[in-house]
Amino acid sequence: MSAARRMMVAGNWKMNGNTASMTELQAMMDGVGDTPAVDVLICPPFPLIGRFSGASEGRGIGIGAQDCHFNKSGAHTGDVSAALLADVGAKAVIVGHSERRADHTEVDDLVQAKAQAALDAGLTAIVCVGETEAERDAGEAEAVVLAQLSGSLPASGVEHVVVAYEPVWAIGTGRVPSIEDITTMHAAIRRAVVDHYGDAGNGVRLLYGGSVKPGNAAEIFAIEDVDGGLIGGASLKADDFLGIVNAGIAQV
Ligand code: 13P
């Protein structure tokens, strides 16, 4: 982490949770307190966003979404606009997650348009990038990630852009790149973000995602250009998630 950037710990609930999960959210809010030293975000499935936002008003956890459409409104059955997400209380939206790139063939141009729509709606855009195992084995990890970045980052709005590096092979597998590999990749991402935005790129938070757990969060968060994490499985249970949030707070 760096003293210049505020740490962020974001939970991506993916297609998990239901109305009963409010109990888990409450436990998380109680554990985090109302003024945590890091930004804490939970991104539940769309139908829970309004309810969760209402319950978290004035508390220390913000609510985000996992996707949005790039248009403000219109004939797009099944889609949700960034403007509506903001209207129901979301503060952020994840765009370009590898599961959406794979399941919905989302390409960089589309991810960029979604990120721009998020910014236009006043949301933080968490732009995800990451290589597959085959790409890493072929020695192409950095090239793939930098190409995704240059295609997916919006042109402006840098203050509200967050980048999440999530190696696809580390997601939900319990496998994590070495500290050295994360350090190298985040440094390369930092250089690319500064190339893209100029000096302001030094203020962009770079999250690591992929099998972050309470037991490994501290050493990952200690890396210079890691400004927090995007957490999947370990964000579903308050105990695990709070352990990771506390590892973030310990860096401050
Ligand atoms: P896991 O933490 O379950 O590996 O998921 C990471 C992720 O995809 C977060 O967006």
Side-chain angles (χ1 to χ4, degrees):
M1 59 88 60
S2 141
R5 294 180 294 269
R6 188 172 161 87
M7 295 273 297
M8 173 184 275
V9 179
N12 174 8
W13 279 17
K14 308 190 178 185
M15 203 170 72
N16 297 295
N18 54 31
T19 54
S21 310
M22 182 64 83
T23 315
E24 214 61 44
L25 179 69
Q26 290 289 357
M28 290 178 184
M29 292 191 297
D30 292 345
V32 160
D34 290 347
T35 53
V38 302
D39 286 346
V40 185
L41 195 69
I42 287 290
C43 304
F46 284 136
L48 296 178
I49 290 175
R51 194 184 290 243
F52 276 27
S53 297
S56 66
E57 195 73 48
R59 308 292 311 269
I61 296 186
I63 303 303
Q66 302 169 18
D67 181 43
C68 65
H69 197 272
F70 62 89
N71 274 323
K72 287 192 169 66
S73 63
H76 302 288
T77 302
D79 280 314
V80 176
S81 72
L84 175 57
L85 293 173
D87 186 46
V88 297
K91 304 283 186 260
V93 57
I94 299 166
V95 292
H97 192 281
S98 59
E99 287 151 16
R100 292 210 60 87
R101 289 178 186 261
D103 296 352
H104 300 273
T105 52
E106 295 195 3
V107 295
D108 293 335
D109 279 359
L110 178 65
V111 174
Q112 185 186 48
K114 289 180 176 207
Q116 189 59 56
L119 299 176
D120 291 347
L123 301 175
T124 293
I126 302 175
V127 180
C128 299
V129 293
E131 82 285 357
T132 62
E133 183 157 34
E135 289 163 343
R136 176 158 286 268
D137 290 348
E140 293 164 0
E142 196 170 305
V144 165
V145 165
L146 297 187
Q148 286 177 341
L149 265 183
S150 88
S152 306
L153 285 177
S156 58
V158 57
E159 314 79 39
H160 301 290
V161 172
V162 173
V163 172
Y165 167 57
E166 300 202 310
V168 177
W169 52 273
I171 294 176
T173 60
R175 295 167 58 205
V176 179
S178 67
I179 294 299
E180 192 186 347
D181 283 346
I182 300 176
T183 304
T184 305
M185 184 63 86
H186 275 243
I189 293 172
R190 173 68 61 206
R191 287 193 295 275
V193 171
V194 170
D195 271 356
H196 192 86
Y197 291 118
D199 257 3
N202 283 310
V204 171
R205 287 171 294 179
L206 309 184
L207 311 184
Y208 168 78
S211 296
V212 178
K213 309 282 180 219
N216 62 17
E219 60 172 349
I220 294 172
F221 292 170
I223 297 171
E224 165 68 18
D225 269 303
V226 172
D227 306 306
L230 183 55
I231 322 299
S235 72
L236 295 171
K237 290 273 167 262
D239 279 356
D240 286 344
F241 189 59
L242 290 170
I244 297 171
V245 170
N246 286 332
I249 291 172
Q251 294 292 329
V252 178

